[in-house]
Amino acid sequence: MTKKLLANLRLFLALGACVLMSGPARAQAVSTFTVQATGSVTSVTDSINFSGPVYVSATIVPDPAGGPATAVVSVDARSLVATSAVTGATFVNSGQARLTRVFGASDVIKTTFSFFPPGPGGFLRGRTALVTLNLTYDLTTQALTGATAAISNF
């Protein structure tokens, strides 16, 4: 054998050993929910009423070192309709979040998002809302089994 062929053979065997030693791939449980949310954010001069869907996705990731699993939770509240009770104007919102949580039977997540009038410069008049999610999981299947959402003042 030539030196180059022998070197390539050693490299191939080393890579094969690395693949065999890496262990089995771990499955990740993924669940999605669409939750109807309502609530309002009030100020001295106005009340902004929110209603509509909040999309929640949870991916359960086992710890390869044997520690507790984590839940990677994605929240998308951009489809909420936000309307001023005083003027009837509608607002745009930036309601997205991705959070890593310790996996358990239940979880309460509170996260904020901004909302603002549409059009040029609207983002300069942004305000903040709080979305509170109550999540429940099946510990055996690691599936998200329930979710509720509410919108309120921050």
Side-chain angles (χ1 to χ4, degrees), residues 124-148:
L124 296 172
R125 295 188 312 275
R127 294 175 51 194
T128 303
L130 177 73
V131 59
T132 302
L133 297 165
N134 291 289
L135 307 178
T136 55
Y137 296 93
D138 181 315
L139 293 176
T140 304
T141 64
Q142 297 185 334
L144 179 63
T145 58
T148 62

Side-chain angles (χ1 to χ4, degrees), residues 100-117:
T100 302
R101 316 281 291 181
V102 174
F103 175 65
S106 63
D107 194 6
V108 176
I109 295 174
K110 294 184 178 205
T111 187
T112 59
F113 62 90
S114 65
F115 64 96
F116 45 90

